[in-house]
Every structure is written in structure tokens, then in C-alpha cells.
Amino acid sequence: MQVLTVLLASAGVCLGLLVAPAEGTDLAQPAAQPAAPRRQKRDWIWNQMHIDEEKNTSLPHYVGKIKSSVNRKNAKYLLRGESAGKVFRVNEDSGDVYAFERLDREKIPEYHLTALVVDKDTNNDLESPSSFTIKVHDVNDNWPVFTHRLFNASVPEMSAVGTSVIRVTAVDADDPTVADHASVMYQILKGEEYFAIDGSGLIFTTTKNLDRETKAKYEIVVEARDAQGLRGDSGTATVLVTLQDINDNFPIFTQTKYTFAVPEDIRVGSSLGSLFVEDPDEPQNRMTKYSIVQGEYRDTFTIETDPNHNEGIIKPMKPLDYEYIQQYIFTIEATDPTINLHHLSSASARKTARVIINVTDVDEPPSFQQPFYHFQLWENQKKPLIGSVRAKDPDAARRSIG
């Protein structure tokens, strides 16, 4: 009768068969020795370890199973790590892992733990500890949030269509590797008649007629949402755009006629009056130049610009004489040689004005007709007539001279 002994090894180890020899077998002859069983390395058997964040079902939440090839009744599973026993626990018999808290991927995207299988009685390791990771799977539970609620920007007035103004940024805390969870879409809710925004958050002009002198500031409200349309109160931001001034306006005379009265003895080069203009551009872009365009007196008067007040200062270039000319009338023009003609707002109808200068008489002393007189006198004459001199009053009144 044959005796069959079966040796079963634990999972992952080959089984060996020992067979007793049959009757009549020559035991002297060595029987063929069976190959020694080969020990195979035991391995940890893993399910995929991940869990959705913010699950609405009741706690605890099943995460997965840890399992070793060790097949002993006295084996038990343990977890080690910072979150072991707090956030995650394991069924020591089955190896099932559960989460005892609702997880937020935006706070902690993954947890690092160590799995152990030990003897229940001795707590000795039956396998080498194995490290593993539980990844928290993203759900689209965050809307884009702008880095600032208020942005300030500026752009030159009259800029070409498509001129960049500012780039705004909104950030979505969801996982960017999950399709459409963290992609941001922008839209202008207010100000879309003047500005537009592209997919990168760049705001640009859509009209070339942004005139600072008409409106200097614009308020834009921008909304950000993700590709699935999730939005919230913090998904909007305000952009304040200030137009930068350029020199695109001619100076305009505040009057069509300027009248001055000036004494005839005014000193050459001194101011006899001021001309005033209005220029809607900012002070740094006001460069008014005054000139005499009609009349015969361009060599008699000059007009200098006061750089501080943009006024025109009229000054005589030669002496005035009431007895010779009592009134000067001429036309003046105000222009700006530095103006940007490409962006000129409009041609001014009041670039010229009339100037009337009335010269007033000043009581001047008489003047001799000759600068020098020479007389000869004979000696020993009684009450001789030496000679005569003549003087006249230069004033128009021709007063008598005594």
C-alpha cells in the first residue's frame, strides 16, 4: 500500500509531494530525489488606493483593501503614519481601509501611510512594512477666485483697437490635471462696449475713440468661471482704467478780441498785456505758441509764452510814440507745434483773435530843435542880442513854452 503525504505551503509557495515506494522496489537503489521546494517572495497585494473628496455619504468611507500573500489565521493588519488612527483606520482581519473624516483635496491632496501585517500574538512582522499613498480624487467644488478684487490700469487715450490694458488672473483650487476642473474662462460683465478679454485674462481695447477729455476713467467688471460653469461671489473683480493724456487738442482763445491801453513811454521788452487760451490737455501737454499773422506790426511787438501758465505775453520791441501812432490792430494765432496730428480730436474754430493796442499820451518835456547852439558875441556892446534858441512841446496838445 502506498502512503501519500502532502505538504501544502502558504499562498505563493510551491507544494511538495512525498510518495512511499511500492512493494518490491529495490531500496538499495537510490530513488530519484524530488526537487527541493523553491521559496517565493511574499508580496503585498493592493487595490487602487484613492477616494473622492467631500463625499456626501455617511462616515466611514471605504477607501480600499490592503492584503498580503501571508495566509495565516493569526495575521492581522495595521496602519502607521500621521493620519493613521485619526483619518484612516484598517480592519485588522480583512485589511479594508476606511476614512473617518471627509477629505478636502485642496487642503491635503494625498496621504502617506505604512501597512504592516503582524502576528496577533507576538506582534512580530510577518512581512516587511510597505509604504503606500492614498490619493484624494478631485471633484469640481471650487470656483475661480481673482488674485485681487480691484485692479488699477491705464492706457493712452485714442489708442488703437487691440491695445493691451492689463492682464487679470483668477485661480481655481481644483486639480488642474482633471479636465475642465481648473480651467478658467473670463467674461466682461460691464464695459464690454469699450473693452474685451481673452482666454488668458488679457483686457484690450475694442474702440479707437477713447477720449480722455470726454471721459477719463472707465470701470470694468470681469467674471471668471471654470469650464463647467461653476462660479461664485468671489468670481468677479473690478478693473479701474484711467486714460493717459496725449497732446491731441489745439489751444483755444478765451476771447475773440483783446484790447489793451498802454502809455507811450512803456519800456521796450516789458509786458503790456497777457493773452489767455484754454487747452483741455493736461499741463505737460500744453505747448502753446503765439504769433502775429496779420498786420504790419510784427517788427513792433512780440508774443512770448509763459511756460508756467501757458499765457501769451505781449511785449513792444521798439519805443511807442503816441504822436506817431495812437492805435495798433493786428490778428494773432495760437497753435501747438508738438500736437499729435494723428490723434487730433478736432480742428479748433477759435485759434485766432484780434488785438487792439491803444497808445496813451504821456506829458513829455519840451525838446530843443537842435542839440547844440553856438553864438559869437562882440565885446563892449551894451545889452547885445546874443541869439535865440527854439524848443517845442512834443505832445499833441502843443502847449506853449515859457
Side-chain angles (χ1 to χ4, degrees):
M1 175 178 175
Q2 295 182 345
V3 178
L4 177 63
T5 303
V6 180
L7 175 64
L8 294 177
S10 61
V13 179
C14 293
L15 55 85
L17 300 178
L18 296 179
V19 181
E23 282 186 40
T25 301
D26 187 358
L27 297 178
Q29 295 180 358
Q33 298 295 321
R38 179 181 300 171
R39 178 178 177 86
Q40 292 187 0
K41 181 180 179 181
R42 299 184 179 96
D43 292 318
W44 287 94
I45 302 171
W46 298 105
N47 287 336
Q48 180 69 33
M49 284 293 186
H50 69 271
I51 182 172
D52 288 343
E53 65 171 333
E54 304 292 353
K55 294 183 70 170
N56 293 324
T57 57
S58 60
L59 293 168
H61 298 149
Y62 178 74
V63 180
K65 180 185 288 290
I66 58 174
K67 189 171 181 60
S68 171
S69 57
V70 169
N71 187 14
R72 295 186 185 181
K73 292 182 179 180
N74 64 333
K76 69 176 180 180
Y77 295 96
L78 299 176
L79 290 179
R80 285 182 185 167
E82 183 179 350
S83 57
K86 302 174 185 177
V87 181
F88 300 101
R89 299 179 190 175
V90 63
N91 184 308
E92 64 180 24
D93 296 320
S94 66
D96 291 330
V97 179
Y98 294 90
F100 281 77
E101 292 182 8
R102 284 182 172 80
L103 308 179
D104 187 347
R105 189 205 67 85
E106 286 69 48
K107 293 182 179 178
I108 303 178
E110 60 185 31
Y111 295 83
H112 301 280
L113 297 165
T114 301
L116 302 93
V117 57
V118 301
D119 188 287
K120 288 183 179 180
D121 300 324
T122 65
N123 279 334
N124 293 330
D125 290 340
L126 300 178
E127 283 281 9
S128 297
S130 177
S131 297
F132 68 101
T133 300
I134 298 176
K135 292 189 176 182
V136 182
H137 186 265
D138 185 55
V139 296
N140 192 13
D141 60 346
N142 290 276
W143 54 74
V145 178
F146 282 98
T147 55
H148 298 85
R149 296 302 298 270
L150 177 64
F151 295 85
N152 288 286
S154 61
V155 65
E157 64 172 327
M158 311 303 287
S159 293
V161 172
T163 299
S164 299
V165 179
I166 189 176
R167 189 185 304 277
V168 297
T169 302
V171 179
D172 192 321
D174 289 319
D175 189 350
T177 64
V178 180
D180 297 335
H181 277 205
S183 57
V184 180
M185 300 173 63
Y186 298 95
Q187 179 183 357
I188 290 182
L189 302 180
K190 179 182 177 182
E192 66 276 10
E193 62 267 44
Y194 306 108
F195 303 93
I197 190 169
D198 65 14
S200 69
L202 178 65
I203 296 176
F204 56 91
T205 60
T206 57
T207 177
K208 63 179 181 179
N209 297 318
L210 294 176
D211 188 357
R212 187 198 68 88
E213 287 72 40
T214 302
K215 185 176 181 180
K217 294 182 181 294
Y218 292 82
E219 181 178 294
I220 306 172
V221 177
V222 185
E223 179 191 57
R225 65 181 188 275
D226 64 21
Q228 295 184 357
L230 192 63
R231 69 190 77 179
D233 291 339
S234 58
T236 61
T238 300
V239 181
L240 296 180
V241 180
T242 301
L243 297 185
Q244 299 170 342
D245 185 51
I246 63 172
N247 192 4
D248 61 342
N249 290 278
F250 277 118
I252 300 170
F253 280 110
T254 57
Q255 302 171 217
T256 58
K257 182 175 70 173
Y258 294 86
T259 302
F260 304 97
V262 56
E264 62 177 331
D265 62 350
I266 185 173
R267 184 164 45 90
V268 172
S270 61
S271 172
L272 66 84
S274 297
L275 308 169
F276 301 96
V277 294
E278 293 177 346
D279 190 334
D281 291 323
E282 292 184 345
Q284 70 272 15
N285 290 322
R286 298 171 187 168
M287 304 291 178
T288 304
K289 180 181 179 181
Y290 299 87
S291 57
I292 299 173
V293 295
Q294 290 181 2
E296 302 175 358
Y297 309 115
R298 276 180 260 184
D299 60 342
T300 305
F301 301 97
T302 185
I303 307 175
E304 297 179 0
T305 302
D306 179 352
N308 296 320
H309 302 92
N310 204 37
E311 301 174 4
I313 309 300
I314 302 179
K315 297 179 179 181
M317 298 173 62
K318 58 178 62 176
L320 304 182
D321 190 344
Y322 174 84
E323 285 70 36
Y324 179 61
I325 298 178
Q326 290 83 37
Q327 188 179 71
Y328 298 85
I329 301 176
F330 49 88
T331 301
I332 58 173
E333 180 183 48
T335 187
D336 187 342
T338 65
I339 199 167
N340 190 331
L341 297 177
H342 180 70
H343 299 296
L344 184 63
S345 297
S346 61
S348 171
R350 286 190 289 158
K351 293 192 299 180
T352 61
R354 295 284 284 174
V355 172
I356 300 173
I357 299 175
N358 294 313
V359 181
T360 59
D361 187 28
V362 175
D363 187 10
E364 300 173 87
S367 60
F368 288 99
Q369 291 184 341
Q370 296 178 216
F372 176 78
Y373 292 87
H374 180 264
F375 300 100
Q376 289 185 342
L377 177 63
W378 297 100
E379 64 179 345
N380 298 323
Q381 287 188 359
K382 296 180 179 180
K383 296 182 180 180
L385 178 63
I386 299 175
S388 64
V389 295
R390 291 185 178 182
K392 69 176 182 177
D393 183 359
D395 295 324
R398 294 288 190 264
R399 297 181 182 86
S400 61
I401 301 173

